[in-house]
Amino acid sequence: MGKRETDSKGDESPVRFSVDRSSPVPLYFQLSQQLETAIETGKLAPGSLLGNEIELAGRLGLSRPTVRQAIQSLVDKGLLVRRRGIGTQVVHSQVKRPLELSSLYDDLEAAGQKPATRVLLNTTTEATAEVAAALGIAEGAEVALVERLRFTHGEPVAHLRNHLPAGLIDLSTERLEETGLYRLMRGAGITLHSARQAVGARAATAEEGERLGEPEGAPLLTMQRTTFDDTGRAVEFGSHVYRASRYAFEFQLLVRP
């Protein structure tokens, strides 16, 4: 029978879904994948309504159990919620970030996630032993310290803590809330070349949970990264935490020849 298409209106523009009955891929999975892509790219923004299962099934020419299975798979992922008397509503999308030398701000912007930043701290301090070792400077030397909350669609997704060599770039709070740190560094003529990075996980403290909108003990992803410019100089040491419910790292694995 070929493809059957329908439109669903989000907050910004119509989104078109289609199912191919001649494909070996199950119909519910085709629909759930298209819905998930629309949510991740921002075409279906938080708060968008999909309508009820009967209406969606009728528009697509699918059975109600098929539509229910597609929607349930996204409810289980935390992307959709069923509200009595309202219908199925988009909650939020999970940020899937590739492990490469890029900033969270740039990755969110490229994915249509509408990044925003709140600067919590912008000051100078003395380098601890850990910071000094990462940046290749003397312990106790002056360094810039910036702490930020990063938001997508108005919800916090990460707490970012960065140390930089003192005087490296102008770190005005206004500019830090307008754009990403790596973009500021590139604008100052710094060529980012490589990074050393470690990814982990742990439970949220009460303070972290309150800051990120998660309960105490909720899973958090952690990342520590030391970034180097094209001369081999360490230009940034970041220690970040991310909501595991909203954030994931993606790896591409290659077979060694």
Side-chain angles (χ1 to χ4, degrees):
M1 292 179 62
K3 292 186 177 181
R4 178 71 176 270
E5 299 185 346
T6 187
D7 288 339
S8 178
K9 290 189 176 180
D11 289 346
E12 298 178 357
S13 62
V15 180
R16 181 171 294 275
F17 302 114
S18 64
V19 291
D20 185 354
R21 296 180 183 277
S22 64
S23 170
V25 178
L27 297 178
Y28 88 89
F29 190 75
Q30 292 184 46
L31 179 57
S32 68
Q33 288 291 97
Q34 292 175 63
L35 282 167
E36 184 170 355
T37 298
I39 294 170
E40 289 180 347
T41 58
K43 292 179 180 178
L44 284 175
S48 299
L49 290 172
L50 297 182
N52 59 46
E53 294 170 1
I54 297 176
E55 179 186 359
L56 190 56
R59 292 204 309 265
L60 275 170
L62 297 173
S63 69
R64 188 178 177 187
T66 295
V67 173
R68 183 186 299 120
Q69 189 176 6
I71 290 175
Q72 186 61 47
S73 69
L74 299 185
V75 170
D76 293 341
K77 290 183 177 182
L79 303 182
L80 297 176
V81 65
R82 291 186 174 97
R83 302 192 186 280
R84 186 179 300 274
I86 297 176
T88 304
Q89 191 171 30
V90 177
V91 181
H92 55 66
S93 61
Q94 186 183 56
V95 179
K96 294 182 179 178
R97 185 180 180 190
L99 276 180
E100 57 186 36
L101 186 51
S102 60
S103 74
L104 177 59
Y105 188 95
D106 290 342
D107 289 340
L108 292 174
E109 191 173 65
Q113 293 281 343
K114 299 181 180 178
T117 304
R118 181 191 304 160
V119 175
L120 304 178
L121 186 64
N122 184 8
T123 187
T124 57
T125 187
E126 294 183 356
T128 63
E130 179 185 38
V131 172
L135 294 179
I137 58 177
E139 184 176 350
E142 185 179 76
V143 291
L145 169 60
V146 175
E147 288 193 31
R148 297 160 293 159
L149 270 182
R150 182 61 42 75
F151 296 80
T152 63
H153 296 295
E155 290 190 41
V157 68
H159 174 247
L160 314 174
R161 181 179 174 91
N162 299 83
H163 289 86
L164 294 85
L168 181 70
I169 60 172
D170 177 21
L171 289 172
S172 73
T173 296
E174 181 180 9
R175 292 290 290 134
L176 284 166
E177 291 190 338
E178 289 176 348
T179 188
L181 179 60
Y182 282 7
R183 195 173 294 182
L184 289 177
M185 295 171 77
R186 290 193 297 266
I190 297 170
T191 301
L192 303 178
H193 179 265
S194 61
R196 183 171 60 245
Q197 178 169 288
V199 176
R202 60 176 172 79
T205 65
E207 181 182 4
E208 288 170 333
E210 182 178 0
R211 182 186 292 137
L212 293 172
E214 294 280 1
E216 181 179 359
L220 298 178
L221 293 173
T222 66
M223 182 180 75
Q224 284 196 335
R225 174 189 284 181
T226 303
T227 306
F228 303 89
D229 67 8
D230 56 351
T231 70
R233 172 184 56 165
V235 292
E236 174 253 349
F237 173 62
S239 183
H240 306 162
V241 293
Y242 306 86
R243 295 171 65 181
S245 63
R246 295 290 316 279
Y247 192 91
F249 291 107
E250 288 193 334
F251 299 80
Q252 182 179 13
L253 305 179
L254 302 176
V255 174
R256 188 182 298 274

